[in-house]
């Protein structure tokens, strides 16, 4: 197993394409997208059952072992989160090589 950072970003569904563009521009080696996430936070209840998707969130999960890339992702996502809300969590993790 290899140590890495686990980045979890919860962002409004309409902002997800912008985050994908950012991650691709940074040459992020991979990420997982979990659409239609629901919950409650400082901007109110986010529902995942509306057809338009305007009130739901998307969760991105990224495993990162490059400190420079980690900082670039954090700096890039901050303006998106300050505009529309959401969270970015960073924790220690272990990457299982397969």
């Amino acid at each position: 197993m290899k140590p890495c950072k686990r980045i979890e970003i919860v962002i409004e569904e309409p902002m997800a394409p912008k985050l994908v563009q950012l991650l691709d521009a940074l040459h992020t080696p991979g990420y997982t997208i979990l659409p239609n996430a629901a919950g409650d936070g400082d901007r109110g209840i986010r529902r995942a059952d509306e057809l338009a998707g305007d009130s739901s969130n998307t969760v991105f999960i990224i495993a990162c072992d490059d400190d420079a890339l980690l900082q670039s992702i954090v700096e890039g996502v901050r303006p998106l989160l300050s505009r529309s809300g959401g969270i970015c969590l960073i924790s220690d993790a272990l990457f299982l090589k397969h």
Side-chain angles (χ1 to χ4, degrees):
M1 289 189 277
K2 182 178 180 181
C4 66
K5 297 292 185 183
R6 178 184 171 124
I7 307 168
E8 295 172 84
I9 302 167
V10 180
I11 196 162
E12 288 184 330
E13 188 84 29
M15 298 301 290
K18 291 186 184 225
L19 184 53
V20 167
Q21 288 177 345
L22 170 72
L23 296 175
D24 290 346
L26 293 172
H27 304 288
T28 305
Y31 47 85
T32 299
I33 301 173
L34 305 171
N36 300 322
D40 190 11
D42 64 344
R43 298 195 184 215
I45 294 175
R46 309 306 292 171
R47 298 178 46 137
D49 59 354
E50 294 180 357
L51 293 177
D54 294 339
S55 279
S56 62
N57 289 324
T58 300
V59 179
F60 287 74
I61 302 172
I62 305 159
C64 183
D65 62 357
D66 180 329
D67 288 337
L69 177 58
L70 173 66
Q71 289 305 313
S72 294
I73 292 171
V74 168
E75 291 168 13
V77 77
R78 188 182 313 268
L80 297 176
L81 295 177
S82 66
R83 181 180 332 150
S84 66
I87 58 172
C88 178
L89 302 171
I90 302 167
S91 56
D92 293 323
L94 294 173
F95 184 87
L96 178 62
K97 293 273 196 177
H98 47 74

